[in-house]
Amino acid sequence: MGKKRAKTRSNVPLLSESGFDELTRHFDFNSLLSKLREIGLFIQDLEHKKVYPNQLWRSWGYRDEDMAFGNFINFVHPDDRKNVEDALGALDHSGEAYASVLFRIRTASGDWRWINSTSVAITTGPDGELLRYIGFDYDLTEQMEARREAERLAREAETLASAAAIINTELDLQHTIDAILEQAELVIPYSSASVQLLKGDHLELVGGRGFKNIHDILGENFPIPGDNPNTRVVQDREPIILDDELRSQYPRFLEITSPDVMAWMGVPLISREEIIGMMTFDRNSKPGFMDRELKLAQGFANHVAIALQNARHYEEMRSLSTRDALTGCFNRRWMYEAIEQQMELSIRHGQELSLIMYDLDDFKMLNDSYGHLFGDRVLKTVTEITRKALRKTDSLCRYGGEEFVIILPQTSESDAFETAERIRIAMEEHSWFPDSEDGVTLSIGCASMQ
């Protein structure tokens, strides 16, 4: 935009000052000038410091005198000013007879208009200096906006197609959720966003990005129906945008998610006419979300719903081969894969990762004394006690017979130690044998990477 185009001098000789005066005597100059100004003509008389702007300038709220002495340059967009000055300089200094330039001009009301201005030198002085030039201004604002809108739509379509392709390459549910949130930011810029899955009578927040307290809110449930905007999205099966009304109508909701949210957008996830969840987008500053972004989010959500359904089906099938039949914990094969994946995420995002490993003391003697059925009940109870001490993002794995490993993403060494202590104390305080102080003890340890 804003490129200058200058042509070499025309074979038509420039008018001298006397020639210009002679030409105007043959016409009703004021009438002619008025007609030409209506179709975009302007005249700059540098010698006498007079200007005859066209009607465009008047329609933008300017007076004729506002354009005198070259003052119009003050209304040109700063990014385009040099192009305009270069075009005029070509007429004045390089002897070019013709110059055309595309630029933006500010109206008196503060709007910007796109103008294509073509200028022709008509009178020069004895030394070749420019005395008068005329030109035509054409308002191309509508054409430029249409072009920019077409370019924007093309970019959005390309981004949406690229994002859809990426999220649909994942099958692991957590990887799919991470990919969704990562690609969503390219489609619709946000401060924070979440993925929520419908489970019975509530939505569970299963993934989030941009939240300061993500560990605290991950796994948060939103009752449906309930006093939250999520209910409107699920029940109406339609996307919504909330700005000021979010703070006045749902203060408790903001306490759970983020008190800094200024604008909120909720989009349903629908697969095969069944609503499976929703996505939320937050912005912590104005302006809020626009209608075109709502439509774009809805198109993105269609791909997200398909990707999540595929990942959930894959996860269901995979769980049959990755869960320990007795305790319901993840098995050793799944554990190795999960640790490798979490290490990659930890390195990529610069986040801490910790592991806890423990085994039951003298478990063989317990089996020999009370029988294997009792031993199985102990293992089940151990896993139940352990799960109560963990977050929803943590993974409990059965490493061997009585050996267990806990994967704790985004967890420091000190936090992992505190978790291990809670588990150890809970095991000691549990009543294992009626009428006996004997219990089950653990040997436990922690490891972390940063």
Side-chain angles (χ1 to χ4, degrees):
M1 302 300 177
K3 292 185 178 178
K4 171 178 72 68
R5 184 175 79 251
K7 294 185 178 179
T8 57
R9 184 183 299 275
S10 169
N11 292 329
V12 179
L14 298 177
L15 290 175
S16 65
E17 181 177 358
S18 60
F20 180 79
D21 292 339
E22 178 66 23
L23 179 64
T24 59
R25 290 193 191 99
H26 297 286
F27 299 92
D28 180 349
F29 182 71
N30 289 332
S31 176
L32 175 64
L33 183 59
S34 177
K35 295 293 185 183
L36 292 174
R37 288 168 72 176
E38 289 181 6
I39 62 173
L41 176 81
F42 66 85
I43 300 175
Q44 285 280 0
D45 186 344
L46 303 178
E47 182 181 21
H48 299 101
K49 296 182 172 55
K50 293 182 180 180
V51 62
Y52 303 92
N54 54 47
Q55 294 301 327
L56 283 177
W57 293 91
R58 289 183 176 176
S59 70
W60 297 334
Y62 293 117
R63 303 167 300 171
D64 290 1
E65 50 265 37
D66 293 330
M67 301 298 104
F69 310 107
N71 285 342
F72 82 93
I73 197 70
N74 296 323
F75 308 117
V76 174
H77 194 285
D79 294 343
D80 302 333
R81 193 166 295 174
K82 186 177 184 305
N83 291 333
V84 175
E85 291 172 343
D86 288 347
L88 293 178
L91 291 176
D92 192 11
H93 302 296
S94 65
E96 296 289 350
Y98 166 86
S100 181
V101 63
L102 180 67
F103 61 96
R104 285 160 289 182
I105 200 81
R106 189 182 70 246
T107 68
S109 62
D111 298 326
W112 292 100
R113 308 293 296 180
W114 280 98
I115 300 302
N116 186 74
S117 184
T118 301
S119 301
V120 179
I122 60 171
T123 307
T124 58
D127 298 325
E129 70 276 16
L130 184 65
L131 299 179
R132 297 182 185 88
Y133 68 93
I134 65 173
F136 278 88
D137 289 333
Y138 299 95
D139 189 337
L140 300 180
T141 304
E142 291 185 2
Q143 294 91 322
M144 293 299 295
E145 289 180 348
R147 176 179 173 180
R148 292 170 65 184
E149 177 67 8
E151 291 173 348
R152 182 187 64 78
L153 291 174
R155 287 194 304 270
E156 288 180 351
E158 183 178 354
T159 302
L160 186 59
S162 175
I166 290 173
I167 64 175
N168 279 292
T169 59
E170 297 287 351
L171 283 177
D172 177 85
L173 182 58
Q174 191 56 55
H175 280 191
T176 299
I177 293 170
D178 292 340
I180 287 168
L181 293 167
E182 186 174 342
Q183 294 303 310
E185 192 169 15
L186 302 178
V187 178
I188 303 153
Y190 60 75
S191 301
S192 55
S194 75
V195 176
Q196 302 173 19
L197 294 179
L198 187 61
K199 298 184 177 180
D201 60 353
H202 67 273
L203 282 164
E204 180 180 337
L205 197 152
V206 295
R209 185 170 178 163
F211 295 98
K212 296 178 182 178
N213 57 337
I214 184 60
H215 290 305
D216 296 333
I217 66 173
L218 207 59
E220 186 74 37
N221 293 334
F222 300 97
I224 306 296
D227 185 22
N228 52 65
N230 314 55
T231 294
R232 288 174 55 183
V233 175
V234 172
Q235 291 183 339
D236 296 342
R237 300 166 66 95
E238 293 288 343
I240 60 171
I241 294 175
L242 297 176
D243 294 312
D244 297 335
E245 62 266 43
L246 178 67
R247 195 167 299 277
S248 60
Q249 294 180 17
Y250 305 103
R252 171 59 182 155
F253 174 76
L254 288 178
E255 290 177 11
I256 296 174
T257 55
S258 172
D260 300 326
V261 173
M262 302 295 292
W264 183 90
M265 179 165 63
V267 186
L269 301 176
I270 301 174
S271 176
R272 296 180 181 177
E273 300 185 357
E274 174 191 359
I275 185 160
I276 63 170
M278 64 177 291
M279 284 194 70
T280 69
F281 300 86
D282 307 319
R283 280 186 182 157
N284 297 343
S285 60
K286 298 288 182 129
F289 297 101
M290 295 181 288
D291 288 341
R292 67 172 184 82
E293 291 178 306
L294 189 71
K295 293 179 181 178
L296 191 59
Q298 197 166 15
F300 181 69
N302 293 336
H303 295 285
V304 168
I306 295 172
L308 284 174
Q309 279 292 68
N310 291 339
R312 289 171 78 178
H313 291 156
Y314 173 77
E315 201 77 2
E316 290 171 2
M317 296 299 296
R318 190 175 175 219
S319 68
L320 297 176
S321 61
T322 59
R323 294 278 183 177
D324 173 58
L326 176 65
T327 62
C329 299
F330 293 108
N331 61 26
R332 183 190 299 192
R333 184 167 67 87
W334 185 93
M335 179 195 73
Y336 285 134
E337 293 178 2
I339 291 176
E340 184 177 352
Q341 292 168 359
Q342 289 297 332
M343 288 178 67
E344 290 176 1
L345 290 173
S346 176
I347 294 170
R348 185 193 310 170
H349 300 296
Q351 298 168 340
E352 296 173 307
L353 173 66
S354 296
L355 297 179
I356 295 175
M357 186 172 186
Y358 67 82
D359 66 354
L360 278 61
D361 298 329
D362 301 320
F363 186 70
K364 183 178 183 304
M365 184 177 66
L366 186 149
N367 264 338
D368 292 342
S369 300
Y370 297 94
H372 289 282
L373 290 178
F374 181 80
D376 288 347
R377 287 199 297 273
V378 167
L379 290 175
K380 290 180 181 179
T381 304
V382 165
T383 59
E384 291 171 1
I385 294 173
T386 302
R387 286 193 179 99
K388 292 178 181 178
L390 302 181
R391 305 166 303 180
K392 290 184 180 295
T393 53
D394 302 329
S395 301
L396 176 60
C397 311
R398 188 179 182 185
Y399 182 73
E402 72 278 10
E403 299 168 325
F404 296 85
V405 171
I406 306 169
I407 305 172
L408 301 99
Q410 301 181 37
T411 303
S412 65
E413 184 178 9
S414 60
D415 288 340
F417 181 81
E418 290 181 8
T419 301
E421 263 304 281
R422 287 199 303 272
I423 295 171
R424 185 188 66 80
I425 293 172
M427 295 294 180
E428 287 185 353
E429 293 178 347
H430 185 75
S431 177
W432 295 94
F433 305 98
D435 305 322
S436 173
E437 294 184 357
D438 292 340
V440 174
T441 60
L442 308 176
S443 295
I444 193 166
C446 303
S448 298
M449 65 173 287
Q450 298 182 358

